[in-house]
Amino acid sequence: MTSGREAQNAHLSVWGVCKNFGDFTALDDVSFNAAKGEMLCLLGPSGCGKTTALRIVAGLEFQDAGRVFINGDDVSMRPVSKRNIGIVFQSYALFPNLTAAQNVAYGLVSSGRGRARSRERANELLALVGLPGIGGKYPAQLSGGQQQRVALARAMALSPEILLLDEPLSALDAQVRIHLRSEIKKLQRELGVTTIMVTHDQEEGLTMADRILLMRDGKVIQDAPPDKLYDQPATPFAASFLGSMNFLPALDVGDPKRVGFGRVSLAVLKSAWKKGDPGTCQLAIRPEDVVIRAPGAQDVTYAGNVLEARVASLEFRGPLYRLTLRLVDGPDDCPPLIADVSARLAGRLDLSDGAAVQAIFPVELLHVYAGGL
Amino acid sequence: MPEIVLEEREGLLSRLSGALSELMAERWMKGAFIGLIGVYLTVLVALPLYGLLSKSLYDKTGAFIGLANFTRFFSEAALFSSLSHSFFVSMTATAFALPLGFAFAYCLTRTSVPGKKVFRAMAMAPLLAPTLMHGLVLIYLFGKKGLVTKGFFGAAQALFGVSGFDIGLYGATGIIIAEALYAFPPVFLILSVALSMTDARLYEAAEALGASKFRIFRTITLPGVKFGLVSAFFVSFISSFTDFGAPKVVGGSYNVLATDIYKHVIGQQNFSMGAAVSVILLIPTALAFLANHIIQRRQSAGVAAKAVPYSPGINPARDRLAFLFCAFISLLFLVYLGVGLYASLVDVWPYKLQLGFRHYDFNATGGGGYAAYFNSLRMAFYSAVAGCVMAFGAAYVLEKFKEFPRLRQFCSQLSLLPMALPGLVIGLAYIFFFNAPGFSIEAIGLYIPNPLNGLYGTMALLVLSNLIYFHTVSFLTAGTALKQLDNEFESVSESLSAPFTRLLTRVTAPVCLPAILEIGYYFFVRSMTTLSAVIFLYSADLPIAAVAVANMDDAGDTAPAIAMCMLIVVTNLVARLLYGFATSGLQKRTRAWTRR
Ligand SMILES: Nc1ncnc2c1ncn2[C@@H]1O[C@H](COP(=O)(O)OP(=O)(O)OP(=O)(O)O)[C@@H](O)[C@H]1O
Ligand SMILES: [Mg+2]
């Protein structure tokens, strides 16, 4: 739990927020902080409470317990109009009967600026999001990507403390989405606005966020920068939600530096041990971390953790091949091991169904999730 | 460490209370609006209805008699017959209106019949006139001195050697024809919506599988509109079951519930028996409405999100057949209006056939004449304006505000109730409620003088009765339009610190303007034509056109009565034209932002 002092230093701070809808717990003791200018991403499967968390930060929904601070002020009970935040919704919610410029100026006019100055500022904002000269068009006359940016300009019009984006790119097609990812990120950096983005697209989270809050069933599972989240997933769920991960049944032999694995034992780092599901002990390694060598080859880089394997199938994926391997010495209930090798290496090894290979688990890339911890 | 916590808590507390008051201001403001809607519906729907129900348990002298009125109704054949009569005529009228309305709607949605716009407008013609006129025109056609009965003033005799033909209009026959006519437009509307919603892909699939035309009709078309058919059935049934105008004119001695209520109240001054019969009229109506509501709710859950609209190809034989049918029905309506016009112009039917505007003078007749007409015009205009505000306002508040969910739900349910209330029931309930000098609540021995007593016999009460009588349809129209707006508009506007009124005036109302116009038009036309809601509420110094028609007909002044009907029809036609101009002007303006 975050301490009071720390919370008041962060730009945005959420403390122990709980939210129930009837009997259903949508958020269970959610806490996080965001520093000024940071981009935080709420990531998680559908229905895990991301939108609810965002709406509570916005003041569109009120928490049953817990508090929200912006700039050290307790805004827990303030409605959205008193929180100085900008929101971009998944649907963009652009007013259909107002032009792009009128949409952007909507908040400016009611904030008491003159009409002319509002219009000027609206055009500035539209230029800022890369849409100069479209001010006179109606939303229906704009492409999805343009609409998205108009919504962004409208949200930024009052220079909000916090920008909230709910699945901002999910309504766009793949090409535009990838382009807009970097655009939004660039803009966010330039403006230095503290941003919270909700997404269930892991790639979007990994590429855009400074920090990711991984959620599941209304709880925060892990709060870490994207690379750390990918390299050091705190739970099996975190490991499998981002990228792919092999989970192999292992045996806790009481030695923090070794685990039993079928007929062999493998070396692991002491720091590789993390808490897993109760009553289990699992080795975990990402497919791209498995090293594949020709049978009998001696590799000085990888001293230990060499396993005999046979290729059960291989699948061409462009730059790489995805191999499904049977581990010869693995335990009886061992699922097939998935390993990615570059297309070049696969060609050199002359891989085909049934071929024998060595699968090496580099010790620093192995994770252990044990229920007993 | 402890003192830091303490200091923090104090700071928090004061800030919290400050924030709380800000939040409350907006919340209470919205709450006040929701409360206003609640009071409006409670005072104008719930309380009068309660008054009517309790009145039915008393006798003429005001003594409590329990269910005695009802036992009397069910034991006296003369009284009870009106219930079976009402059932009989409404079921029979529905049996005509439903297939005809279905065929007409089918032609306009599933064939490429030319002139769809004209036919669509023609189908609405019966709504422009009060149902009294349906009866009057029938009298001019099939009555004792009717065109058909008398063989077209002897022309048939001269040309074909046939004398007239008497269909025995007065009684069930006349009521059934008039009610079928009256029910046709709504049946057609409901079914054309249902037919145009069916998914074209189903037909493509069926054709690809080689199903015959008849099989496709039986297995796809009919099931696809079954909810529409059920809804059309109930709407047709209710409108025939509760109508007062047509049976009053052509019913003769054939008594139905609606005319019975009138006779009990106006003829015998037996208000409590009137109330009891009202309750008997109300129960089947409310049940039909409830059944329809439940079925429709189930339907909306089953509609596919992305249906491909069906577009009929060209099929000359089918389209020609469709044209003949639509032209025939339209011709019937034209003849109907034409006979009305002709009858209003003929000097002395059927003896002196010179045309003139003598009957439009109204000087020699009772009923109020032009004063009544202008009162109706004013009433319709006020109802249109106030109806827009109240029906759209209620839908807006209940749909878009998120505060006080319980109260909003209560108001939404009350908003649906008026649809189940026949006009006579509303009128009678309003007599009891607004004419009462005060209410004594015996349980706590309290007497409250009626603050609304002053409304009795005023234009305001007439308008209010129309607002409630036509509330539900308009409320649902507004609700549908509002539901099409993104729910996040409110959130966006709030996040930009704009008050909700700004969003309402700048976005919500402009986008919903077509629906608002439709509501205004609907209120105007219905208020112009309604008889049942106002017949108990008008006063001698505040005559109303539709009531004047009824009174002139009673006095035997049939020609001036139909002349007054023609004035109403022409007024409604003008309103229709204005509405058409307004919407097409609006479309031009909105095209800019709805199309690329
Ligand atoms: N107003 C509400 N009433 C009842 N339940 C709600 C309400 N809002 C959200 N929920 C429930 O709370 C849970 C979390 O909802 P939320 O919208 O926060 O999920 P999400 O993580 O944003 O999911 P998605 O990725 O599908 O948008 C869901 O199971 C949802 O059904
Ligand atoms: Mg969501």
Side-chain angles (χ1 to χ4, degrees):
Chain A
M1 176 88 191
T2 338
S3 84
R5 285 286 132 196
E6 193 188 317
Q8 296 197 340
N9 291 335
H11 191 217
L12 168 74
S13 180
V14 172
W15 280 20
V17 162
C18 298
K19 177 76 183 175
N20 297 310
F21 293 110
D23 291 342
F24 179 79
T25 304
L27 291 180
D28 183 6
D29 193 17
V30 168
S31 301
F32 58 87
N33 293 320
K36 176 115 190 105
E38 195 175 24
M39 179 149 188
L40 202 65
C41 179
L42 302 184
L43 183 66
S46 190
C48 70
K50 307 178 295 284
T51 300
T52 307
L54 198 77
R55 291 177 71 85
I56 285 175
V57 170
L60 292 169
E61 203 89 65
F62 290 93
Q63 64 280 15
D64 299 330
R67 284 183 193 153
V68 179
F69 296 87
I70 295 177
N71 245 347
D73 288 336
D74 187 345
V75 298
S76 305
M77 295 302 291
R78 277 191 217 169
V80 56
S81 54
K82 300 276 161 35
R83 290 196 184 186
N84 194 16
I85 50 138
I87 316 178
V88 176
F89 290 98
Q90 190 171 359
S91 61
Y92 314 141
L94 290 176
F95 306 132
N97 61 327
L98 304 185
T99 62
Q102 286 170 332
N103 262 287
V104 176
Y106 183 91
L108 295 167
V109 175
S110 54
S111 75
R113 267 169 249 236
R115 225 155 256 280
R117 280 206 47 211
S118 299
R119 178 134 304 201
E120 204 175 294
R121 168 101 174 112
N123 286 327
E124 266 172 43
L125 282 158
L126 283 172
L128 185 71
V129 295
L131 297 173
I134 63 120
K137 292 200 172 174
Y138 288 99
Q141 297 165 327
L142 301 174
S143 73
Q146 288 174 323
Q147 290 179 22
Q148 211 278 337
R149 281 183 279 177
V150 172
L152 191 62
R154 182 177 64 182
M156 291 304 299
L158 294 178
S159 315
E161 295 270 354
I162 314 267
L163 179 63
L164 303 177
L165 312 171
D166 190 359
E167 313 235 4
L169 302 174
S170 64
L172 302 170
D173 51 36
Q175 287 282 323
V176 186
R177 203 181 314 183
I178 290 168
H179 172 66
L180 270 185
R181 260 189 217 159
S182 53
E183 289 273 298
I184 292 180
K185 182 70 199 162
K186 207 175 98 207
L187 197 67
Q188 188 264 339
R189 281 247 173 78
E190 271 171 29
L191 298 170
V193 60
T194 310
T195 303
I196 300 185
M197 181 175 84
V198 160
T199 180
H200 60 241
D201 179 341
Q202 42 157 311
E203 214 174 282
E204 218 166 274
L206 290 175
T207 52
M208 292 174 75
D210 297 319
R211 212 143 50 74
I212 293 180
L213 220 65
L214 183 67
M215 295 180 60
R216 182 193 200 184
D217 295 341
K219 290 194 191 65
V220 177
I221 301 294
Q222 195 172 2
D223 176 354
D227 51 349
K228 171 118 190 286
L229 189 65
Y230 192 80
D231 291 338
Q232 297 296 329
T235 69
F237 166 75
S240 57
F241 191 79
L242 282 106
S244 333
M245 182 70 89
N246 287 294
F247 288 100
L248 306 169
L251 206 62
D252 185 352
V253 292
D255 179 353
K257 293 190 161 175
R258 296 206 79 79
V259 290
F261 180 65
R263 268 167 274 157
V264 294
S265 88
L266 299 175
V268 293
L269 296 179
K270 236 168 132 174
S271 58
W273 290 80
K274 288 162 204 104
K275 189 165 168 53
D277 300 329
T280 62
C281 178
Q282 288 178 305
L283 269 178
I285 187 163
R286 294 204 181 272
E288 69 270 26
D289 290 341
V290 178
V291 177
I292 301 295
R293 291 286 176 264
Q298 293 295 316
D299 198 322
V300 284
T301 347
Y302 308 105
N305 293 357
V306 180
L307 292 160
E308 300 281 312
R310 276 188 188 283
V311 177
S313 68
L314 74 172
E315 194 180 283
F316 181 54
R317 296 210 164 177
L320 50 82
Y321 273 90
R322 170 150 289 192
L323 307 184
T324 309
L325 303 170
R326 295 234 150 265
L327 294 171
V328 176
D329 293 320
D332 297 337
D333 56 345
C334 185
L337 178 77
I338 308 294
D340 291 340
V341 295
S342 70
R344 198 154 303 134
L345 177 63
R348 231 183 316 122
L349 294 176
D350 194 20
L351 292 177
S352 60
D353 288 1
V357 291
Q358 288 183 6
I360 303 168
F361 296 168
V363 65
E364 69 280 7
L365 300 175
L366 259 184
H367 311 277
V368 189
Y369 296 100
L373 289 187
Chain B
M1 212 44 193
E3 58 279 323
I4 293 176
V5 172
L6 202 70
E7 165 204 289
E8 203 172 68
R9 195 167 288 165
E10 272 173 5
L12 272 174
L13 228 91
S14 66
R15 261 177 271 157
L16 229 122
S17 66
L20 210 67
S21 67
E22 280 175 1
L23 186 62
M24 284 309 167
E26 170 116 353
R27 186 178 152 80
W28 289 121
M29 165 116 104
K30 289 185 172 177
F33 275 103
I34 301 171
L36 205 68
I37 303 289
V39 169
Y40 171 74
L41 292 169
T42 306
V43 170
L44 293 177
V45 182
L47 293 181
L49 192 61
Y50 172 78
L52 177 90
L53 293 178
S54 61
K55 195 81 174 182
S56 69
L57 305 177
Y58 291 81
D59 73 0
K60 240 180 183 173
T61 62
F64 183 81
I65 51 165
L67 294 175
N69 281 328
F70 295 93
T71 32
R72 195 187 136 206
F73 180 90
F74 284 101
S75 54
E76 279 181 37
L79 291 174
F80 180 71
S81 63
S82 65
L83 178 60
S84 43
H85 286 171
S86 279
F87 262 106
F88 173 70
V89 293
S90 6
M91 293 306 267
T92 318
T94 301
F96 284 107
L98 208 56
L100 289 176
F102 180 83
F104 205 87
Y106 190 90
C107 290
L108 293 196
T109 50
R110 297 298 177 81
T111 74
S112 301
V113 65
K116 282 187 183 176
K117 268 198 179 149
V118 177
F119 286 140
R120 196 167 277 277
M122 283 309 302
M124 294 296 123
L127 284 189
L128 298 177
T131 49
L132 288 161
M133 177 164 158
H134 302 345
L136 289 171
V137 168
L138 287 177
I139 290 179
Y140 276 102
L141 281 170
F142 304 109
K144 289 187 198 81
K145 288 180 278 180
L147 268 177
V148 175
T149 321
K150 287 277 154 205
F152 295 90
F153 308 127
Q157 180 74 23
L159 287 175
F160 312 108
V162 284
S163 61
F165 175 71
D166 191 350
I167 65 164
L169 176 75
Y170 299 94
T173 315
I175 301 177
I176 288 166
I177 302 176
E179 300 304 358
L181 198 62
Y182 181 47
F184 182 87
V187 165
F188 158 75
L189 267 190
I190 292 169
L191 290 175
S192 66
V193 169
L195 279 165
S196 59
M197 269 192 340
T198 312
D199 195 339
R201 287 171 301 190
L202 289 176
Y203 288 86
E204 286 161 8
E207 268 161 36
L209 291 170
S212 71
K213 289 262 180 267
F214 177 69
R215 180 138 183 255
I216 291 180
F217 182 80
R218 200 168 46 83
T219 56
I220 299 179
T221 308
L222 281 185
V225 297
K226 68 171 181 250
F227 291 112
L229 281 171
V230 169
S231 179
F233 168 82
F234 282 122
V235 166
S236 168
F237 175 82
I238 294 175
S239 81
S240 315
F241 193 73
T242 59
D243 182 48
F244 171 60
K248 170 134 182 44
V249 175
V250 291
S253 59
Y254 189 84
N255 57 330
V256 294
L257 286 173
T259 47
D260 261 16
I261 295 174
Y262 183 72
K263 276 180 216 146
H264 284 301
V265 173
I266 301 295
Q268 303 165 8
Q269 296 285 311
N270 187 344
F271 285 88
S272 58
M273 195 61 202
V277 182
S278 292
V279 172
I280 289 163
L281 178 73
L282 179 61
I283 288 170
T285 313
L287 287 180
F289 168 76
L290 195 69
N292 188 23
H293 188 66
I294 291 169
I295 291 167
Q296 295 312 312
R297 188 177 283 176
R298 196 172 305 159
Q299 173 199 21
S300 55
V303 171
K306 277 186 189 138
V308 177
Y310 180 88
S311 75
I314 306 279
N315 177 342
R318 178 200 64 191
D319 295 346
R320 219 169 293 141
L321 200 68
F323 183 80
L324 283 179
F325 175 75
C326 292
F328 175 70
I329 297 281
S330 303
L331 197 68
L332 280 186
F333 293 165
L334 274 182
V335 166
Y336 159 78
L337 287 178
V339 168
L341 181 64
Y342 182 62
S344 75
L345 295 175
V346 163
D347 199 35
V348 185
W349 186 284
Y351 308 110
K352 218 171 132 195
L353 296 179
Q354 283 99 327
L355 302 184
F357 284 96
R358 189 169 73 85
H359 302 304
Y360 285 83
D361 188 22
F362 304 122
N363 275 336
T365 61
Y370 279 101
Y373 170 74
F374 284 112
N375 280 338
S376 271
L377 201 60
R378 265 169 58 216
M379 179 179 80
F381 178 73
Y382 297 150
S383 301
V385 174
C388 279
V389 174
M390 290 320 294
F392 185 81
Y396 170 76
V397 164
L398 301 183
E399 178 70 28
K400 296 296 179 188
F401 288 1
K402 296 292 164 242
E403 286 74 10
F404 303 99
R406 283 277 166 94
L407 186 58
R408 277 190 296 118
Q409 205 191 350
F410 169 74
C411 291
S412 298
Q413 276 155 4
L414 269 188
S415 275
L416 295 180
L417 193 54
M419 185 117 125
L421 301 181
L424 284 176
V425 170
I426 293 181
L428 195 55
Y430 276 22
I431 295 187
F432 296 146
F433 185 72
F434 290 96
N435 201 24
F439 309 99
S440 57
I441 304 166
E442 270 140 40
I444 49 172
L446 195 68
Y447 180 83
I448 314 166
N450 187 353
L452 299 171
N453 184 261
L455 282 177
Y456 192 73
T458 65
M459 174 62 92
L461 187 62
L462 292 176
V463 171
L464 284 178
S465 73
N466 285 330
L467 290 193
I468 292 305
Y469 190 22
F470 308 124
H471 176 80
T472 307
V473 171
S474 311
F475 174 79
L476 293 176
T477 306
T480 309
L482 285 165
K483 279 199 187 79
Q484 278 161 5
L485 299 186
D486 196 327
N487 260 332
E488 308 292 11
F489 283 174
E490 268 66 25
S491 310
V492 167
S493 180
E494 262 184 78
S495 79
L496 294 168
S497 304
F500 71 89
T501 45
R502 184 170 151 77
L503 183 70
L504 177 63
T505 53
R506 191 103 166 92
V507 179
T508 313
V511 173
C512 290
L513 207 50
I516 296 176
L517 279 180
E518 189 185 330
I519 292 170
Y521 170 69
Y522 174 80
F523 266 108
F524 183 88
V525 169
R526 295 302 309 262
S527 306
M528 257 339 262
T529 56
T530 185
L531 172 69
S532 58
V534 296
I535 191 145
F536 289 144
L537 299 176
Y538 81 103
S539 67
D541 32 310
L542 194 68
I544 290 297
V547 181
V549 174
N551 288 339
M552 287 189 279
D553 173 61
D554 265 350
D557 293 326
T558 323
I562 204 155
M564 182 66 89
C565 288
M566 285 317 293
L567 282 183
I568 295 176
V569 170
V570 169
T571 308
N572 282 340
L573 270 177
V574 171
R576 177 70 188 81
L577 286 179
L578 288 178
Y579 169 65
F581 284 136
T583 44
S584 70
L586 198 65
Q587 264 168 10
K588 242 172 248 154
R589 224 191 52 188
T590 58
R591 201 162 293 150
W593 46 269
T594 48
R595 300 230 179 104
R596 287 181 167 246

